Amino acid sequence: MNPIGLMFLDGTALLAGLALALGAGALFTRFGAGILRPILTLLLLAGLAMVLLSAVPLPGWLYALWILPAVAVFVLGNMSRASSLLRFRAFGVLFAATAILLLAESPRLRTPRLRIDAGQTVYVVGDSISAGIGSGERCWPEVLATATKLRAENLAEPGATIQSAAAQLRRITEPGALVLLEIGGNDLLNRESAAAFAAHLDELVSGLRATGHDVAMFELPLFPFQNAYGRAQRAVAKRHAVALIPRRHFARVLGMKDGTLDGLHLTQRGHDEMARRVAALLRIDAARDSEG
């Protein structure tokens, strides 16, 4: 995948856009509307566009808090009569807003660690990313089981949506399992409304938590203006104390060279990489297993 496209898919366009806008804003403040004005204008506008198109599911008011001083810096930077003090103050507000935005997002960038007993079963609830499309690859849950020596049950089904995945839950036979949710991509492709997406996801996760399972959910790679789906995932994860795996892990498997058959479904290399990333999240507790 094109590196720029991957930046938007995995959300790092937000960080790049903030850095670009802040750098252009600093130069605007230092040099004003001089010979560099056209270049700085393009850089600032590019940074603004990257932030807005990154689809990072932060609250709308946080984006507004950042956009207003960014626009002020842009306007004042293009006004030859604007005072240096006014430009400096606008940049100061932009700097503070950038810091607030980063502080709000930084906890979501941390990769969770999933504790699991050596004798505990991992169930994967998902769609064709996990189930494969019958092209002969060993799907990543199977690769994960081999690599970690854990019992892994792949319940994923091609074409599954959040609503239809409820049927997969009925096949979870052991209490206190670790359930990995790789689900929701088909809901986005089918243009399910964000409200319905949120309701179905909440129902799915609440059912798992009510029966005592540990749950971790892959944050979905999002295209521009799909923020509402990400906000739904984050809200459900917070409400039910579910570990949320940052979207960069999923997105970078899809974006790696030779990682997919068609831009979406995984090759063997893609399945191996997904399994490797999931294995790195696990903290297998052999002592607890031996006590039982």
Side-chain angles (χ1 to χ4, degrees), residues 76-190:
L76 293 172
N78 280 280
M79 291 175 59
S80 56
R81 295 184 180 181
S83 69
S84 297
L85 179 60
L86 193 58
R87 289 195 183 103
F88 181 79
R89 286 177 175 173
F91 177 75
V93 176
L94 176 61
F95 185 88
T98 301
I100 292 171
L101 210 64
L102 288 173
L103 285 172
E105 181 60 15
S106 58
R108 302 294 187 178
L109 300 177
R110 297 172 189 154
T111 299
R113 293 295 180 262
L114 310 177
R115 296 186 67 85
I116 181 171
D117 291 349
Q120 195 175 1
T121 301
V122 179
Y123 288 91
V124 177
V125 172
D127 51 33
S128 55
I129 297 294
S130 299
I133 55 174
S135 50
E137 290 78 23
R138 292 178 69 232
C139 296
W140 70 263
E142 183 183 351
V143 178
L144 177 69
T146 301
T148 62
K149 309 303 181 184
L150 291 169
R151 293 196 301 270
E153 294 288 338
N154 187 7
L155 308 180
E157 297 177 353
T161 64
I162 292 174
Q163 192 171 22
S164 70
Q168 297 178 35
L169 269 54
R170 292 194 286 271
R171 294 159 55 195
I172 300 177
T173 57
E174 296 182 27
L178 173 62
V179 181
L180 301 180
L181 296 178
E182 178 280 299
I183 197 71
N186 287 317
D187 298 79
L188 269 65
L189 293 174
N190 296 338

Side-chain angles (χ1 to χ4, degrees), residues 39-106:
I39 297 174
L40 297 180
T41 295
L42 288 175
L43 291 177
L44 186 55
L45 289 175
L48 185 64
M50 291 179 76
V51 169
L52 293 178
L53 296 176
S54 65
V56 172
L58 289 165
W61 67 267
L62 268 178
Y63 278 110
L65 183 70
W66 182 83
I67 290 169
L68 290 175
V71 171
V73 168
F74 169 72
V75 172
L76 293 172
N78 280 280
M79 291 175 59
S80 56
R81 295 184 180 181
S83 69
S84 297
L85 179 60
L86 193 58
R87 289 195 183 103
F88 181 79
R89 286 177 175 173
F91 177 75
V93 176
L94 176 61
F95 185 88
T98 301
I100 292 171
L101 210 64
L102 288 173
L103 285 172
E105 181 60 15
S106 58

Side-chain angles (χ1 to χ4, degrees), residues 115-120 150 283-292:
R115 296 186 67 85
I116 181 171
D117 291 349
Q120 195 175 1
L150 291 169
R283 293 294 176 264
I284 302 173
D285 194 337
R288 286 171 58 190
D289 179 60
S290 63
E291 290 172 3

Side-chain angles (χ1 to χ4, degrees), residues 168-227:
Q168 297 178 35
L169 269 54
R170 292 194 286 271
R171 294 159 55 195
I172 300 177
T173 57
E174 296 182 27
L178 173 62
V179 181
L180 301 180
L181 296 178
E182 178 280 299
I183 197 71
N186 287 317
D187 298 79
L188 269 65
L189 293 174
N190 296 338
R191 298 184 180 181
E192 179 81 70
S193 72
F197 177 94
H200 294 151
L201 183 61
D202 186 78
E203 183 178 359
L204 185 75
V205 173
S206 62
L208 286 167
R209 295 297 285 154
T211 50
H213 298 301
D214 296 323
V215 181
M217 176 166 51
F218 283 95
E219 197 172 28
L220 292 171
L222 298 174
F223 290 105
F225 308 118
Q226 291 184 326
N227 308 51

